């Protein structure tokens, strides 16, 4: 999703911005641009709706005034307005005095735009962010101080923002944040502002994290305000360990590499957590109170992991669970003694963060399950389970799903044994089953790599896919369908197999691909016969005798996790057959920072 970088360095800002923007590419974007100070006190604004390579060519071809040492840059993932150069960031005010990049959504943009237009401001884009430029311009007409102007302008905004504002002639740089991540590093190499520390990890590892309402002038020294009052910068946080750069190691794309990493990752997580499960230590160390109900808050793939975790809890101890999509939380009733488990690999998903604002009884606590221990979600939660899956560069989640399931299941088992709902003996048996997962995932990888490409070739011309499962297999069928649709851009839906006869059978025509994920439930066979009878091309992921026979162990409360491997490989292979970019599928963002 949208990404911000800004810097004040000793030498040239443009190469730093280009390199930092490249580091943000994995988040997904549809246009990119920079604005850089020049030696004659103007701003050079260069934008493109193509890739960063194209931006680099445009920067190299720049024949205006020599580019200077301060600049801002942005990767845009369109929310307001079409994907075109006029809508690409940075945006400018009427005079061109300031340029600005923005992440988030200005919710009162229409009202502000109408007022500003009436008072003579001229807009050159359809983007909500541009209103902020004109608000700052209006404030600068009253007081020529950029820091004050940004401070006053943000008080007129509703919604979410991470902003970096650059002034021509002075080269002053001001950042502001509210409900959208923004970090600032200030060190010997320069000053860096970014929405994602991975972008500037080459120059900075320690960052001050902007809080809601912060406005900061990033000059030779930092001037920091919160809600208008001058304060000291918050203590910096070291991000070095969590943001090690990722590189391809013999794989053609990151998705392929990240699928391959899953068995080793599973082994690492189970080795780390295994000894702390049956003695309850994993749960006890979180310092959370006992709970009688669980509410899972998540989106997309993280919700599928949440479904697995909820089912495990329900099956083992009949603890009531609610699954709440982050964007739908307003309609939930949360009882006291509920644990809220917020799951998000990025820890920055706006829907999840906003869901945490929903009022709940005071005793309700929030546990975060995330791959980003320094994320906004981690800071907002009462306790954090950080699963350290390493950087996931493929935009579609793969290894983080496996990590979420394993860590979430380990935590559930530990909580149950700690509260006496599960015996130590039963827990130890379940831990033994978890320990088999790395081998099961490896077997699934080997079989899938052999069998799936031909199936994908065969199915790649299909216009739509149905994924079926029952019970514990259903979250995996859902994940298979999501992976296929986001990577191949083909329709793919999942259904509880028993529901087919209540309507969705109408979708089956001769040749319709139906992927059925087994979990040992004998009733699935009857459902498969129903679709076969109507001419479906059936692919079964299951035990011996299946089309993709990856399941080996006995059924577990968390279901057939290894079944996700062929589903990921199928989605990737179909996408490649169709010529898609599997690491950067269209319209999908790695960190969805808008609601
Ligand atoms: C799917 C995918 C998305 C994310 C969803 C939540 O491959 O990547 O569905 O799972 O946007 O993201 P996080 O986990 O960062 O909250």
């Amino acid at each position: 999703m949208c990404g911000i970088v800004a810097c004040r360095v000793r030498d040239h800002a443009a190469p730093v911005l280009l390199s930092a923007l490249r580091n943000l590419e994995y988040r997904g974007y549809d246009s990119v641009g920079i604005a850089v100070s020049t030696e004659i006190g103007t701003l050079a604004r260069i934008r493109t709706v193509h890739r960063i390579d194209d931006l680099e060519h445009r920067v190299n071809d720049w024949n205006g005034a020599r580019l200077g040492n301060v600049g801002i840059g942005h990767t845009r993932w369109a929310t307001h307005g079409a994907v075109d150069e006029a809508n690409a960031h940075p945006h400018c005010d009427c005079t061109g005095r300031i340029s600005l990049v923005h992440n988030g959504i200005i919710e009162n943009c229409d009202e502000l735009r109408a007022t500003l237009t009436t008072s003579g401001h001229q807009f050159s884009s359809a983007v909500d962010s541009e209103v902020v430029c004109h608000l700052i311009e209006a404030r600068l007409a009253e007081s020529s101080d950029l820091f004050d102007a940004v401070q006053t302008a943000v008080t007129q905004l509703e919604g979410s923002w991470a902003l970096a504002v650059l002034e021509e002639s002075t080269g002053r740089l001001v950042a502001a944040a509210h409900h959208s991540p923004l970090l600032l590093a200030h060190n010997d190499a320069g000053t860096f502002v970014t929405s994602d520390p991975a972008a500037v990890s080459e120059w900075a590892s320690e960052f001050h994290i902007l809080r809601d309402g912060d406005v900061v002038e990033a000059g030779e020294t930092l001037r920091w305000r919160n809600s208008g009052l001058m304060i000291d910068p918050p203590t910096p946080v070291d991000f070095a360990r969590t943001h090690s750069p990722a590189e391809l190691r013999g794989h053609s794309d990151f998705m392929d590499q990240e699928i391959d990493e899953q068995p080793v990752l599973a082994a690492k997580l189970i080795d780390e957590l295994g000894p702390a499960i049956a003695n309850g230590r994993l749960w006890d160390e979180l310092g959370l109170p006992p709970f009688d109900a669980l509410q899972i808050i998540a989106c997309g793939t993280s919700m599928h992991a949440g479904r697995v975790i909820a089912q495990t809890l329900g099956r083992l101890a009949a603890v009531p669970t609610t699954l709440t999509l982050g964007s739908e939380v307003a309609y939930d009733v949360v009882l006291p003694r509920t644990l809220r488990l917020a799951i998000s690999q990025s820890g920055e998903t706006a829907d999840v963060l906003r869901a945490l604002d929903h009022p709940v009884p005071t005793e309700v606590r929030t546990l975060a399950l995330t791959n980003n221990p320094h994320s906004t979600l981690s800071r907002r939660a009462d306790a954090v389970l950080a699963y350290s899956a390493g950087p996931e560069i493929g935009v579609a989640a793969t290894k983080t799903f496996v990590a979420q399931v394993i860590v979430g299941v380990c935590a559930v088992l530990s909580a149950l044994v700690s509260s006496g709902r599960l015996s130590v003996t039963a827990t130890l048996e379940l831990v033994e089953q978890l320990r088999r997962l790395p081998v099961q995932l490896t077997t699934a990888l080997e079989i899938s790599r052999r069998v799936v490409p031909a199936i994908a070739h065969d199915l790649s011309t299909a216009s739509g896919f149905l994924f079926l499962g029952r019970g514990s297999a259903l979250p995996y069928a859902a994940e298979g369908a999501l992976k296929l649709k986001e990577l191949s851009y083909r329709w793919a839906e999942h259904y509880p197999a028993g529901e087919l006869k209540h309507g969705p059978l109408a979708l089956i025509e001769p040749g319709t691909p139906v992927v059925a994920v087994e979990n040992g439930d004998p009733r699935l066979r009857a459902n498969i016969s129903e679709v076969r009878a109507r001419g479906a091309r059936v692919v079964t992921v299951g035990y011996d005798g299946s089309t993709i026979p990856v399941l080996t162990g006995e059924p577990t409360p968390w279901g057939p996790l290894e079944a996700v491997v062929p589903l990921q490989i199928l989605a990737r292979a179909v996408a490649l057959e169709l010529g898609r970019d599997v690491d950067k599928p269209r319209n999908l963002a790695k960190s969805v920072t808008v609601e």
Side-chain angles (χ1 to χ4, degrees):
M1 190 147 261
C2 301
I4 286 181
V5 291
C7 68
R8 172 185 301 287
V9 286
R10 286 180 203 296
D11 205 356
H12 293 291
V16 174
L17 294 173
L18 287 169
S19 168
L21 289 169
R22 274 189 209 288
N23 292 336
L24 290 179
E25 269 194 304
Y26 77 99
R27 296 162 64 105
Y29 68 103
D30 42 45
S31 60
V32 57
I34 61 172
V36 181
S37 63
T38 72
E39 62 178 5
I40 57 163
T42 54
L43 290 181
R45 184 165 59 136
I46 307 167
R47 302 177 291 174
T48 177
V49 289
H50 302 292
R51 300 274 102 186
I52 291 172
D53 284 344
D54 183 60
L55 182 69
E56 185 165 14
H57 288 137
R58 290 174 189 226
V59 171
N60 291 339
D61 292 346
W62 173 256
N63 54 13
R66 228 166 92 89
L67 300 179
N69 70 325
V70 193
I72 57 179
H74 191 265
T75 47
R76 173 174 187 246
W77 192 88
T79 54
H80 285 63
V83 178
D84 58 32
E85 202 169 307
N87 288 337
H89 296 229
H91 291 282
C92 284
D93 65 326
C94 301
T95 65
R97 177 172 168 184
I98 60 140
S99 279
L100 161 157
V101 289
H102 166 230
N103 282 359
I105 299 238
I106 306 302
E107 284 167 5
N108 56 341
C109 148
D110 291 345
E111 298 88 308
L112 291 171
R113 184 184 278 260
T115 314
L116 287 159
T117 307
T118 310
S119 53
H121 289 265
Q122 287 182 347
F123 282 78
S124 50
S125 78
V127 175
D128 58 338
S129 316
E130 196 188 339
V131 298
V132 191
C133 303
H134 296 279
L135 284 178
I136 297 171
E137 178 191 357
R139 299 284 76 81
L140 281 173
E142 294 155 13
S143 135
S144 62
D145 185 82
L146 182 70
F147 192 34
D148 290 341
V150 174
Q151 176 67 63
T152 315
V154 296
T155 59
Q156 294 173 266
L157 303 178
E158 287 167 21
S160 57
W161 57 87
L163 295 167
V165 188
L166 177 62
E167 187 176 37
E168 75 168 10
S169 75
T170 63
R172 287 175 74 181
L173 179 63
V174 173
H178 185 74
H179 286 328
S180 189
L182 199 62
L183 305 94
L184 185 148
H186 186 65
N187 58 32
D188 289 346
T191 305
F192 304 88
V193 178
T194 182
S195 52
D196 181 344
V200 294
S201 58
E202 198 178 316
W203 302 278
S205 57
E206 289 205 337
F207 292 85
H208 306 278
I209 300 168
L210 277 78
R211 287 161 300 195
D212 289 348
D214 278 354
V215 177
V216 185
E217 169 138 26
E220 293 306 325
T221 55
L222 300 180
R223 293 207 290 154
W224 206 290
R225 276 187 187 148
N226 182 268
S227 304
L229 300 174
M230 291 299 291
I231 56 166
D232 289 333
T235 311
V237 174
D238 191 352
F239 281 73
R241 205 177 59 79
T242 41
H243 286 85
S244 49
E247 51 190 40
L248 279 176
R249 295 179 302 275
H251 291 262
S252 54
D253 50 79
F254 281 103
M255 183 181 186
D256 193 49
Q257 179 164 298
E258 285 153 8
I259 290 172
D260 237 28
E261 285 173 22
Q262 295 178 123
V264 172
L265 173 62
K268 176 182 98 95
L269 294 172
I270 295 163
D271 282 353
E272 276 169 19
L273 302 178
I277 297 175
N279 53 15
R281 184 158 52 84
L282 173 58
W283 171 257
D284 296 342
E285 285 182 355
L286 292 170
L288 293 167
F291 61 94
D292 292 339
L294 180 75
Q295 182 194 30
I296 300 224
I297 299 177
C299 308
T301 290
S302 293
M303 178 50 94
H304 298 153
R307 284 168 73 169
V308 176
I309 296 163
Q311 285 189 0
T312 306
L313 190 64
R315 256 164 241 269
L316 291 174
V319 173
T321 55
T322 322
L323 298 167
T324 304
L325 289 170
S327 51
E328 292 295 322
V329 79
Y331 313 104
D332 265 13
V333 177
V334 180
L335 299 172
R337 288 179 65 88
T338 296
L339 174 70
R340 288 198 295 189
L341 176 62
I343 309 175
S344 168
Q345 63 79 24
S346 63
E348 300 295 352
T349 297
D351 287 326
V352 171
L353 295 174
R354 196 54 82 90
L356 298 183
D357 295 337
H358 186 63
V360 288
T362 46
E363 55 274 63
V364 169
R365 292 287 171 271
T366 301
L367 172 62
L369 175 55
T370 177
N371 196 27
N372 184 356
H374 301 301
S375 59
T376 311
L377 175 61
S378 301
R379 293 197 300 281
R380 296 216 24 214
D382 298 294
V384 180
L385 276 169
Y387 49 75
S388 312
E392 186 176 66
I393 303 299
V395 174
T398 51
K399 65 175 178 173
T400 52
F401 170 77
V402 165
Q404 287 168 342
V405 168
I406 291 174
V407 178
V409 166
C410 289
V412 157
L413 298 184
S414 188
L416 291 180
V417 76
S418 169
S419 61
R421 288 166 163 124
L422 196 63
S423 72
V424 173
T425 317
T427 310
L428 285 170
E429 275 168 27
L430 291 165
V431 172
E432 272 321 296
Q433 286 191 318
L434 280 173
R435 288 195 191 284
R436 283 179 215 132
L437 269 174
V439 171
Q440 290 167 342
L441 289 166
T442 305
T443 308
L445 256 175
E446 284 166 7
I447 294 170
S448 307
R449 293 247 184 253
R450 224 175 34 242
V451 177
V452 173
I455 299 172
H457 178 72
D458 210 34
L459 300 183
S460 60
T461 51
S463 58
F465 295 72
L466 205 58
F467 285 70
L468 301 179
R470 296 188 80 117
S472 65
L474 206 47
Y476 302 104
E479 179 57 7
L482 178 61
K483 277 303 81 101
L484 191 81
K485 79 178 85 157
E486 65 192 355
L487 287 162
S488 70
Y489 322 152
R490 293 281 153 89
W491 290 98
E493 295 306 330
H494 78 281
Y495 265 98
E499 264 302 283
L500 273 189
K501 53 192 177 295
H502 301 292
L505 263 182
L507 294 171
I508 307 292
E509 290 173 350
T512 304
V514 174
V515 181
V517 185
E518 292 183 20
N519 64 341
D521 187 328
R523 293 172 300 170
L524 186 68
R525 294 220 181 91
N527 304 131
I528 291 173
S529 302
E530 288 157 14
V531 292
R532 271 219 174 94
R534 285 157 182 86
R537 275 188 282 177
V538 176
V539 174
T540 51
V541 176
Y543 293 94
D544 261 355
S546 312
T547 328
I548 314 177
V550 291
L551 302 193
T552 47
E554 70 263 40
T556 62
W558 49 88
L561 174 59
E562 62 274 38
V564 81
V565 172
L567 301 177
Q568 295 165 340
I569 292 177
L570 178 68
R572 175 178 172 276
V574 170
L576 288 175
E577 289 277 342
L578 295 169
R580 314 295 192 219
D581 181 341
V582 292
D583 276 349
K584 299 185 194 76
R586 76 178 179 202
N587 300 341
L588 184 65
K590 193 71 197 161
S591 188
V592 184
T593 48
V594 292
E595 284 176 75

